[in-house]
Amino acid sequence: MIQSLLQYTLPILLASFGGLVSDLAGTLNIALESLILLGAFVTYVVSIHAQSPLAGIMAGSLASGAVVLVFYTLALKGRANIFVTGLGLNLLIPGAVATASSLMYGTRGVLRFDNFPLQPTVLSVPLPLLFSYAMLACIWYLISASSAGLRIRAMGLHPHVAQIRGVSPFRTRIAALVISGLACGAAGGLLVLSLRAYVPNVSAGRGWIALAAIYLGKRRPWGVLAATVLFGAAELAANIAQGMFALPSPLFMALPYVAAVTALIIQGLISHRKKPS
Amino acid sequence: MKGKLVVSLLILSLTTLLLALLSPEPAETIVRFFTGPFRNIYAFGSFLSSALLLVIAGTGISICFRGGQFNLGGEGQVYSGAAASLTAALLLPLMPGFIAKPLLIAAAMITGFLIAALSGWLRHRFSIHELISSYLTSGALVFFCDFLISGPLRDEESFLIATQRIPGAYTLAQLLPPSPLHSGIFIAAAVAAASHIFLHRSVWGYRLRMFGEQSTFARFGGISPRTYRIMPIGISGALYGLAGAVALLGIHYRGIQGFTAGLGWNGIAVALIAGTSPVMTLYAALLVAYIEIGISSAMAGAAVTYDLGLIVRGAILIVVTLKVLKRKQEELL
């Protein structure tokens, strides 16, 4: 039970932490959803070619990071609206991934591992999982205990003051955004490795749920952790309920979105009981 | 204007490049891309009928942007508007067309308005960013409408995942048979004209723009933040709903799973290319429709057509707000 809860929570948590870093820098990355998808696809491709899930998930993470680096550099240098750029990535990446899938494998559908590469383990924890934990720990340390984290926060809160204190806006923001890309890529990798297949639309709204979790967790690591556990538990419960009641599948797919909106509203009701904005 | 030309040329050359890369016969594909919408009456009518939907959707998003808000729920709002119209058409007793049409259109607009206004209200009441709440509600609604069309409303005898046709009296008149061009073009023209008058000649439009540019200043001027957090995004939702109803009554005549997909995102692309003016919305809608129809006629039958459409839509959004491409007065965001 705890293991499956972890399996549902971890990808959302990784994506959420990535998004949180970008949000703290004042440039929320709304392309989490498609960056998860990209990480998932690249993880599949590299895992098969290198016969190593660890190489796969690292490549997936790097691929999403690289895409963020290229497109958000363009956006920041060209002073574009970063929400619109993020939205553009959310359309462009699924198109590009499906095209790549057609060209490489002749299908836009499900890609299975014919023989799943062996997962080497350390103390019986698979290496890709260890990689994800390490990434989570690094991000947590970065935002709550490091001076780089302080610079990122300063850039988000008071960009002008930070700039006068010698913090480069471009470098700080692009670094925060690239971290969000790396985290989402790893999240996608985890999804593929735990499903043992690449499924189109494997991200299934998790990037957006992760964004909701940032707000729900009030932009604090513990809060975000709690929010993602909540969403992970909701997903797990929905899957168990699906097994018992056989809900029509479109309604079942709507559940995570409904859960996210409901959670946001409930949190709003609790924290804004008196004061209207 | 110069900036828009640069953006348009950039987008067209990107699309051409992608087509050339992905096609087995690049030369022929590119010729078909550029001549596609003018190949025959049918293609030309399809081109205009998708452009008119984009005018309606894009105008709504322009108003939303001017009010300083961002509506990412277009996909769900168009689809829900169409589904509301469809449900009313199939379930209510048969009525004469002149009563039914306004009723069905109103049902769609109210549905779209309520969905989008919810996000505006959440922003006002609980400071939940409308960017996230509008996407999440829309995500849920897309699946709900899929459920309606594939479940309770489905026509069991059809091979498609589709509903029965709506009664013939409810459809919009065809203007250029056999093409799908229909009298919705007058609705689009009316929407464009009315939105210009609303934004620039009415006190509400003035307040909306003021609130969008400087909400604190507007509040000191006695402008209700609640009204102007709900109104811009609500109007965009209502017009998205209208676009859904027009697509149903003018083109498809029945609900097909996913039949309005893409309209929500393209509406945003149109509004961003157009900047602010309604005249430019017409231009941007024609451009985006040209590209969509061009791609589908260039890649006819190929599996990657849909993906290519996505890539081009994404590329448009990525380049369109780059400030290096435009002059200051054209900036919208």
Side-chain angles (χ1 to χ4, degrees), chain A residues 78-81 108 208 250 277, chain B residues 124 135 143 307 314 317 321 323:
Chain A
R79 294 189 301 123
N81 179 304
R108 303 170 69 243
W208 293 97
S277 67
Chain B
H124 167 72
Y135 183 86
F143 289 118
D307 306 323
L317 293 179
T321 63
K323 300 232 163 47

Side-chain angles (χ1 to χ4, degrees), chain A residues 31-261:
Chain A
L32 304 183
E33 174 77 7
S34 58
L35 293 166
I36 296 176
L37 186 74
L38 179 68
F41 183 70
V42 173
T43 300
Y44 174 81
V45 174
V46 175
S47 293
I48 284 198
H49 279 275
Q51 280 298 305
S52 153
L54 180 66
I57 196 170
M58 286 172 129
S61 173
L62 285 176
S64 291
V67 164
V68 166
L69 180 64
V70 171
F71 285 98
Y72 279 103
T73 299
L74 182 71
L76 292 175
K77 289 285 185 197
R79 294 189 301 123
N81 179 304
I82 57 135
F83 289 149
V84 177
T85 303
L87 192 57
L89 283 178
N90 271 338
L91 298 175
L92 187 135
I93 292 176
V97 165
T99 307
S101 169
S102 309
L103 292 178
M104 291 166 69
Y105 301 102
T107 171
R108 303 170 69 243
V110 177
L111 300 168
R112 285 177 205 291
F113 287 97
D114 285 333
N115 39 4
F116 192 73
L118 269 179
Q119 297 224 35
T121 55
V122 170
L123 302 173
S124 79
V125 179
L127 283 180
L129 202 57
L130 215 57
F131 173 73
S132 312
Y133 287 138
M135 185 174 263
L136 272 179
C138 288
I139 295 178
W140 200 317
Y141 172 75
L142 174 81
I143 49 187
S144 52
S146 74
S147 61
L150 276 180
R151 283 198 290 278
I152 288 176
R153 281 166 190 276
M155 188 51 65
L157 285 173
H158 296 290
H160 294 295
V161 179
Q163 205 175 349
I164 290 166
R165 297 284 295 156
V167 182
S168 152
F170 171 72
R171 278 209 230 153
T172 313
R173 292 194 155 140
I174 199 72
L177 285 161
V178 167
I179 290 168
S180 71
L182 293 170
C184 287
L190 278 180
L191 288 174
V192 160
L193 295 177
S194 66
L195 284 172
R196 298 183 171 235
Y198 168 81
V199 185
N201 192 23
V202 66
S203 43
R206 286 187 182 80
W208 293 97
I209 306 280
L211 287 177
I214 297 172
Y215 276 76
L216 202 60
K218 303 202 158 174
R219 298 174 170 172
R220 284 192 283 263
W222 282 108
V224 173
L225 175 65
T228 49
V229 170
L230 181 73
F231 286 134
E235 204 184 333
L236 179 62
N239 273 325
I240 294 171
Q242 172 73 349
M244 290 195 281
F245 307 116
L247 217 58
S249 99
L251 283 188
F252 174 68
M253 310 229 287
L255 281 180
Y257 297 95
V258 176
V261 177

Side-chain angles (χ1 to χ4, degrees), chain B residues 122-204:
Chain B
L122 289 175
R123 170 72 191 271
H124 167 72
R125 188 69 183 77
F126 301 138
S127 323
I128 299 170
H129 206 301
E130 75 276 2
L131 205 73
I132 291 172
S133 70
S134 63
Y135 183 86
L136 290 173
T137 40
S138 152
L141 286 164
V142 166
F143 289 118
F144 182 70
C145 296
D146 275 351
F147 161 72
L148 278 182
I149 289 174
S150 65
L153 296 178
R154 180 164 181 190
D155 177 11
E156 297 297 337
E157 281 154 29
S158 167
F159 294 109
L160 289 170
I161 300 180
T163 68
Q164 280 187 324
R165 283 170 161 262
I166 57 172
Y170 297 179
T171 60
L172 298 172
Q174 283 196 305
L175 297 182
L176 199 64
S179 85
L181 184 65
H182 52 85
S183 57
I185 199 165
F186 304 116
I187 299 180
V191 164
S195 72
H196 179 73
I197 294 168
F198 168 78
L199 266 182
H200 297 284
R201 297 281 180 275
S202 82
V203 66
W204 304 291

